Amino acid sequence: MSTSVAESRENLDDLLSDEAINRPFEYYRRLREVHPVYWNPRWNGWIVTGYDAVIAGYRDSDRLSSDRFSGPFGAEMRRSASTFEQLIQFLSRFFVWKDPPFHTQMRLVVNRAFTPKSVEVLRPRVQELVRELTEPLRAGEAVDFLGTFAFTLPVVVIAEFLGVPPEARFEVRDWSEDLGAVIFMRGKEQDRLEKGEQAMRKLVDFLRPIIRDRIKNPKDDLLTRLATNDDSGARLSEEDVIANAVLMVFAGHETTMNLLANMVVAFEQFPDQWDRLYRDPSLEKSATEEILRFDGPIKGLGRWAKEPFEFFGQSIKQGDRMLLMQHAGNRDPQGFDDPDRLDIGRNPNRHAAFGQGIHTCLGAPLARIEVQEVLSYLTKAFETIETLNDTLLYNPTVVSRSLQSLHVKARPR
C-alpha cells in the first residue's frame, strides 16, 4: 500500500479527527462514497452512513442488539465494573441500552408521560421560560447562548417534569454533564470514568430519598410514575427507578441543548430561511423537523450483530459492532433532495434524527415543543442572531454533535 493511500485510509478511519468532529458532513460523505456500510479497522466495526442502511439498521432489532453491557460493547464495561462500581451498575440499567423484554417493560412505564398529548401541557411553561431567558439578548450585547439560554431551558423543563426539587436542578445538571463524557464516548477525556463514577454516586445519593418519599407521598410527576408502578402490575426495583431517572435528567437536557445551539448556527448559514419563517410562522413545525435533519444533536448510536447476516452488500459476522450514523444518513442524496441546503418547508422529511424502530427517542415530543417555541419567539423578536465565535469547535465525541461554546449577538426587530 502506498504512503498516500495509507494516509488517506488512516484519515477515513479516525472517528475523532478534526474533520470527523468539526466537518462531519464532509467526513461521512467520503465514507459513504467508499461504501455506505464501511468497515473501520481502527474502530473494529462497521460505520453505516447511507440513509436506507441507517433506517434498516435501526428497525432491525431482531438481529442488531442495543445492549451495551453484553456482546462486544460489554467487554470494556465489565472490565471497569470493579473500579467504577456505581457508574457501571446504574448505566447498565438504562433502558435505552437494553433489549426486550426489559426495554419493553421500561418503555411502557414512561411512554404515556411522553406522548405528544401528554407533553403538550408543558407548552405554556416552555413559552414562559423562553421569554425570560431571551431578555439578555435584547440588549444587543454578546451573550453566551450555549451556556445560558440553550443550557437552561431544557434542564428546567425536564427537572420540573420529573419532579426534581427546584433548588437542586442545576447541581443535578452539573452531575449529569460529567456523565456525558462517558455516555457520548469523549475519547480524549482520559479521566471521564473517574468523573462519571463521582457524578453517578452523587446522583444516586440525591435521588434515592426522593424516590422513597414518592412511594409514601405520591405527586403528579414522572418520578412518582416511575416509583409507584410500571403499568403492567409489577413494581420496578428501586435501582431501576434511580437509573432511569438519571437517564431522563441527562437525556432531557443534553440533546435539546445541543439542538438549540446547532439551530442558531444553521440559520446563520441560511438567513433567507430565518426571514421565511418570520413571514410564515405556520412553518414552525416543519422548520423544527428540518433543523433535526440538517444538524441534529446525535450523530449516531451503536449496535452489535446477534447473528451473521448480509447487510447492503456486506457480510456481517456475529458479534460485529456497528455505528448507525443518522447524522450522515440525514445528508445522503439518496434520501433527500439537495441535502446540504436548509429548507424549512421540506416535505416529505423522513429524517432519522430520533432513530427508528423500538428505540425511537421517547423524548422527541418534548424536544419538538421546546424547539418550536424557541423558533416562534426568536424569529418574531430578532431580525438576526449572529454568532461571535472566531471558529466553531465541537466536542470530540463519536456520538453527539455538541459545540464547545457559542456566543451570539442579536438584533431586535
Side-chain angles (χ1 to χ4, degrees):
M1 182 182 293
S2 69
T3 301
S4 61
V5 171
E7 289 175 351
S8 177
R9 181 60 190 254
E10 176 65 16
N11 289 338
L12 279 180
D13 291 342
D14 185 358
L15 295 172
L16 293 175
S17 68
D18 177 71
E19 182 186 32
I21 298 303
N22 293 308
R23 301 184 305 282
F25 301 112
E26 297 175 22
Y27 173 73
Y28 288 110
R29 174 182 53 76
R30 294 203 296 131
L31 278 189
R32 191 167 52 241
E33 287 173 352
V34 175
H35 200 288
V37 182
Y38 174 90
W39 177 257
N40 183 324
R42 182 167 175 171
W43 187 70
N44 193 30
W46 300 97
I47 313 299
V48 182
T49 57
Y51 175 79
D52 290 338
V54 168
I55 297 297
Y58 274 123
R59 291 179 177 174
D60 196 348
S61 56
D62 291 334
R63 298 185 298 186
L64 290 173
S65 174
S66 299
D67 195 334
R68 288 280 294 273
F69 288 84
S70 61
F73 288 111
E76 180 183 356
M77 293 294 192
R78 288 191 296 272
R79 284 195 298 270
S80 303
S82 59
T83 306
F84 307 107
E85 181 181 356
Q86 290 273 289
L87 177 67
I88 303 304
Q89 177 188 353
F90 286 95
L91 286 181
S92 69
R93 296 173 182 268
F94 280 14
F95 80 96
V96 295
W97 286 351
K98 306 292 278 188
D99 293 333
F102 182 79
H103 172 266
T104 307
Q105 179 190 25
M106 278 302 306
R107 197 165 176 108
L108 280 173
V109 179
V110 186
N111 188 58
R112 289 195 300 180
F114 282 98
T115 64
K117 183 177 180 181
S118 297
V119 299
E120 188 62 35
V121 299
L122 299 174
R123 194 180 290 273
R125 177 57 174 150
V126 173
Q127 292 170 339
E128 179 183 26
L129 286 167
V130 170
R131 288 194 298 270
E132 291 176 6
L133 294 171
T134 304
E135 281 307 307
L137 286 168
R138 292 188 173 280
E141 303 295 332
V143 172
D144 178 0
F145 185 84
L146 183 64
T148 55
F149 186 98
F151 211 58
T152 306
L153 173 65
V155 78
V156 171
V157 172
I158 194 62
E160 291 181 355
F161 192 40
L162 275 167
V164 172
E167 64 275 12
R169 63 194 178 204
F170 293 110
E171 195 171 27
V172 170
R173 173 202 67 188
D174 292 341
W175 298 333
S176 70
E177 275 292 292
D178 284 339
L179 283 182
V182 178
I183 294 170
F184 287 148
M185 298 187 290
R186 290 179 191 160
K188 295 183 180 179
E189 293 187 24
Q190 300 302 318
D191 60 347
R192 65 188 185 280
L193 291 175
E194 288 84 354
K195 288 183 177 179
E197 172 74 8
Q198 294 172 13
M200 185 65 83
R201 286 185 180 276
K202 291 174 181 177
L203 280 163
V204 170
D205 290 345
F206 170 76
L207 287 168
R208 194 182 296 278
I210 297 174
I211 287 167
R212 288 177 177 175
D213 180 71
R214 289 298 192 275
I215 295 174
K216 297 177 182 178
N217 305 293
K219 295 185 179 181
D220 185 18
D221 58 35
L222 189 49
L223 282 180
T224 297
R225 181 184 292 277
L226 287 170
T228 57
N229 76 87
D230 72 353
D231 291 349
S232 65
R235 180 168 292 176
L236 299 170
S237 73
E238 185 173 89
E239 309 304 288
D240 285 334
V241 173
I242 293 171
N244 287 285
V246 170
L247 168 64
M248 278 174 262
V249 169
F250 174 80
H253 87 271
E254 177 78 13
T255 52
T256 304
M257 172 187 75
N258 293 329
L259 179 59
L260 291 173
N262 295 352
M263 176 197 79
V264 168
V265 173
F267 272 110
E268 185 177 44
Q269 294 172 14
F270 294 88
D272 62 307
Q273 297 300 297
W274 185 263
D275 294 337
R276 182 183 178 189
L277 185 55
Y278 170 68
R279 295 192 305 270
D280 187 358
S282 70
L283 292 173
E284 284 159 9
K285 288 185 178 180
S286 64
T288 297
E289 300 309 308
E290 179 66 346
I291 289 295
L292 284 159
R293 182 201 69 83
F294 185 80
D295 201 359
I298 298 295
K299 289 192 288 190
L301 296 173
R303 298 288 189 266
W304 60 270
K306 294 187 276 187
E307 61 186 64
F309 63 99
E310 291 295 314
F311 188 72
F312 289 80
Q314 302 284 32
S315 296
I316 310 300
K317 299 181 179 65
Q318 184 175 358
D320 277 359
R321 301 195 299 174
M322 189 175 287
L323 272 178
L324 303 174
M325 306 303 296
Q326 66 252 43
H327 214 235
N330 284 338
R331 293 288 191 98
D332 185 354
Q334 297 298 314
F336 302 92
D337 293 333
D338 200 2
D340 293 324
R341 178 173 62 90
L342 185 74
D343 176 5
I344 65 169
R346 187 180 295 273
N347 185 32
N349 190 351
R350 300 185 182 91
H351 64 76
F354 290 127
Q356 293 273 330
I358 66 171
H359 287 279
T360 300
C361 177
L362 202 62
L366 180 55
R368 285 182 165 113
I369 283 178
E370 291 176 277
V371 176
Q372 288 165 14
E373 291 305 321
V374 170
L375 280 175
S376 175
Y377 193 83
L378 292 187
T379 52
K380 291 183 179 73
F382 302 104
E383 185 176 344
T384 60
I385 298 180
E386 174 191 0
T387 62
L388 300 178
N389 300 57
D390 292 334
T391 303
L392 292 172
L393 297 174
Y394 293 78
N395 287 307
T397 161
V398 174
V399 174
S400 73
R401 171 74 163 163
S402 55
L403 280 161
Q404 294 181 19
S405 68
L406 180 64
H407 291 82
V408 305
K409 182 168 66 173
R411 181 190 302 167
R413 291 194 184 276

